[in-house]
């Protein structure tokens, strides 16, 4: 303990304080007398900046509430929820894990209070998930009902604010979009009037891809390039004043793989499929309503367009029907489905109600279609789905029998038979499924092709004999 002699007296402390104050006043007086005012102001500004920076925080935070200030979900919040699933830090002790029937994998999110660090373009950024309940939050923007507030906090150095706004946040939005597309569960939508005038959907689990579709390699490549070019040309379609859509006509005999090609296109683009049977649509107004109910990034399929329904005004005797007053009345009032209504649906004003859409017509008899459906601008690409070629056969052999290349001793004979015998890929695939042994399956296919060739030769001879008999 200090002795009483060592403790300074109150008078000595007061004397010391007075001396220091007098010295400061003397220095201040000397500075004002000696230094010009410009120099004084410059030194004072430097001192103030040093003091300000010492007390100014170097980190700032952006807060992304679940609900936007204008109502509805906050796009950045939703994107952060998806993007942060790809980040994991050693300090994360609690994570929220869930899975639904519509998701392909586990959904892993940050729990309340957990943080994770991200690096981007030389910046270090820290994300934190916050879920709080407060009576004061009830009526504030970005808060859910009952005072429940959910948000993400993004902290970073204050000097990086411009780069975060201009570059990092758009990067998070784009990354989240890519992740969603990779995890998206495709849907097949069908329509039936008995379903309450709505589309009904099921998961699209069709395994067809462009790698497994049995068709000419060059044709497959051309289709894939066309699809890839289409999805990248949003600005181009906007610039030229056209709806962002693409039309395909698939035509050829039954069993040539039209449905498999549609599924491969959907799996390639990650587009939902809307399967529309025109026989279930009674009037043009109903068709328009169905179009408005389809989503973007989708494929609308109308199969067997040549025989699904008899459209009144241009197909097969339509002029006689147009003379019927009752027909005219129904067409004007929209109480029947007409070809003009379908055409307006394909490339008229109603076709622009939505983006990134593909329309596919399929038919077994292209020659039966009304020329109006084939006009350029409606069906942009006509794809012939023909009989099985040697290239398609090799793809089927790889799919079903796991035979790669073309070195099997029966391939030469099969190639010759395929060039002379019309057979569909479906018939070839069915024959390959009859036996698990590759050798036996190929021998069965050879027998099938020989039988069909023999029947074809007999038909040709019968036609020749018939012509000779008619001449006689």
């Amino acid at each position: 303990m200090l002795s009483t002699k060592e403790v300074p007296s109150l008078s000595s402390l007061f004397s010391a304080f007075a001396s220091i104050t007098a010295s400061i006043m003397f220095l201040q007086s000397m500075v004002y007398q000696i230094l010009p005012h410009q120099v004084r102001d410059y030194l004072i500004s430097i001192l103030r900046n040093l003091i300000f920076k010492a007390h100014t925080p170097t980190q700032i935070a952006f807060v992304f509430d679940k609900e936007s200030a204008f109502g509805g979900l906050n796009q950045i919040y939703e994107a952060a929820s998806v993007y942060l699933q790809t980040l994991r830090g050693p300090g994360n002790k609690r994570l929220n894990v869930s899975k639904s029937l519509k998701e392909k994998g586990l959904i892993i999110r940050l729990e309340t209070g957990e943080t994770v660090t991200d690096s981007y373009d030389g910046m270090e950024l820290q994300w934190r998930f916050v879920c709080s309940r407060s009576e004061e939050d009830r009526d504030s923007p970005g808060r859910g009902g009952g005072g429940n507030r959910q948000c993400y906090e993004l902290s970073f150095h204050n000097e990086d604010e411009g780069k975060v706004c201009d570059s990092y946040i758009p990067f998070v939005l784009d990354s989240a979009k890519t992740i969603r597309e990779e995890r998206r569960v495709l849907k097949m939508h069908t329509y039936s009037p008995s379903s309450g005038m709505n589309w009904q959907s099921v998961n699209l689990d069709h395994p067809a891809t462009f790698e497994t579709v049995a068709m000419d390699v060059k044709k497959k490549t051309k289709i894939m390039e066309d699809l890839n070019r289409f999805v990248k040309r949003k600005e181009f379609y906007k610039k030229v004043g056209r709806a962002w859509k693409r039309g395909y006509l698939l035509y050829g005999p039954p069993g040539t793989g039209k449905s498999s090609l549609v599924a491969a296109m959907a799996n390639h683009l990650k587009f939902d499929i809307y399967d529309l049977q025109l026989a279930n649509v009674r009037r043009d107004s109903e068709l328009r309503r169905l179009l408005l109910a389809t989503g973007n990034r989708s494929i609308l399929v109308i199969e067997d367009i040549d025989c699904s329904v008899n459209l009144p005004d241009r197909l097969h005797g339509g002029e006689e029907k147009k003379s019927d007053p009752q027909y005219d009345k129904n067409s004007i009032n929209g109480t029947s489905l007409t070809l003009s209504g379908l055409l307006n649906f394909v490339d008229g004003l109603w076709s622009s109600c939505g983006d990134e859409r593909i329309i596919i017509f399929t038919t077994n008899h292209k020659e039966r279609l009304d020329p109006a459906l084939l006009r350029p601008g409606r069906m942009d690409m006509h794809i012939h789905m023909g009989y099985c070629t040697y290239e398609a056969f090799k793809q089927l052999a790889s799919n079903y029998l796991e035979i790669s290349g073309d070195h099997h001793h029966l391939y030469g004979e099969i190639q010759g038979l395929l060039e002379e015998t019309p057979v569909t890929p479906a018939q070839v695939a069915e024959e390959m499924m009859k036996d698990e042994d590759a050798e036996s399956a190929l021998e069965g296919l050879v027998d099938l092709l020989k039988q069909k060739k023999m029947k074809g030769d007999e038909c040709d001879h019968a036609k020749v004999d018939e012509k000779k008999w008619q001449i006689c």
Side-chain angles (χ1 to χ4, degrees), residues 189-213:
H189 304 265
T190 57
Y191 168 70
S192 174
S194 61
S195 64
M197 306 295 286
N198 293 316
W199 292 101
Q200 293 181 318
S201 65
V202 295
N203 288 349
L204 178 63
D205 296 322
H206 202 295
T209 65
F210 277 107
E211 288 72 26
T212 61
V213 167

Side-chain angles (χ1 to χ4, degrees), residues 180-425:
R180 288 193 191 99
E181 291 302 321
E182 291 176 351
R183 297 179 177 178
R184 183 181 179 189
V185 178
L186 302 184
K187 295 291 184 179
M188 165 75 83
H189 304 265
T190 57
Y191 168 70
S192 174
S194 61
S195 64
M197 306 295 286
N198 293 316
W199 292 101
Q200 293 181 318
S201 65
V202 295
N203 288 349
L204 178 63
D205 296 322
H206 202 295
T209 65
F210 277 107
E211 288 72 26
T212 61
V213 167
M215 62 187 302
D216 181 72
V217 176
K218 292 182 179 179
K219 187 179 292 186
K220 282 198 291 187
T221 302
K222 185 177 181 180
I223 297 171
M224 292 174 64
E225 290 176 349
D226 189 76
L227 292 172
N228 293 337
R229 182 167 54 251
F230 165 73
V231 297
K232 295 177 181 179
R233 303 183 84 186
K234 178 179 181 179
E235 295 303 321
F236 171 79
Y237 278 85
K238 182 178 180 180
K239 182 179 68 175
V240 299
R242 292 188 57 179
W244 192 14
K245 67 175 185 61
R246 191 83 174 150
Y248 295 86
L249 174 66
L250 310 185
Y251 65 98
T256 52
K258 293 186 286 292
S259 298
S260 295
L261 178 58
V262 172
M265 295 168 75
N267 287 326
H268 179 72
L269 296 176
K270 301 297 182 183
F271 280 18
D272 285 349
I273 292 178
Y274 288 82
D275 183 31
L276 179 61
Q277 300 292 331
L278 287 183
N280 294 329
V281 182
R282 296 183 294 269
R283 55 186 65 88
D284 290 347
S285 58
E286 187 176 339
L287 185 64
R288 290 193 295 268
R289 184 185 57 78
L290 288 172
L291 172 64
L292 293 174
T294 59
N296 294 337
R297 297 181 60 81
S298 62
I299 299 176
L300 177 73
V301 182
I302 301 179
E303 295 189 276
D304 300 323
I305 184 64
D306 57 302
C307 58
S308 59
V309 66
N310 290 323
L311 299 173
D313 53 349
R314 286 282 295 275
L315 295 175
H316 310 303
E319 295 301 326
E320 296 179 3
K321 293 184 179 181
K322 282 185 177 180
S323 63
D324 184 356
Q326 184 62 34
Y327 163 74
D328 292 335
K329 180 179 178 181
N330 290 341
S331 298
I332 294 173
N333 294 334
T335 57
S336 64
L337 178 63
T338 64
L339 179 61
S340 61
L342 179 62
L343 296 180
N344 190 45
F345 166 74
V346 172
D347 71 343
L349 292 176
W350 288 98
S351 67
S352 61
C353 299
D355 282 336
E356 212 169 357
R357 292 180 177 178
I358 290 175
I359 301 174
I360 298 179
F361 287 165
T362 72
T363 178
N364 298 332
H365 306 282
K366 181 181 177 181
E367 67 279 0
R368 296 182 184 177
L369 297 183
D370 190 283
L373 285 170
L374 304 178
R375 183 178 67 79
R378 286 175 177 152
M379 294 294 104
D380 303 287
M381 195 172 183
H382 295 195
I383 303 171
H384 178 241
M385 307 295 291
Y387 291 109
C388 188
T389 63
Y390 181 58
E391 291 294 326
F393 155 74
K394 288 193 296 183
Q395 181 63 63
L396 291 172
S398 175
N399 296 344
Y400 289 89
L401 305 177
E402 298 183 352
I403 300 176
S404 58
D406 53 357
H407 304 297
H408 196 278
H409 67 92
L410 290 175
Y411 273 22
E413 184 178 7
I414 292 174
Q415 181 177 7
L417 289 169
L418 287 174
E419 292 174 354
E420 301 175 351
T421 310
V423 60
T424 65

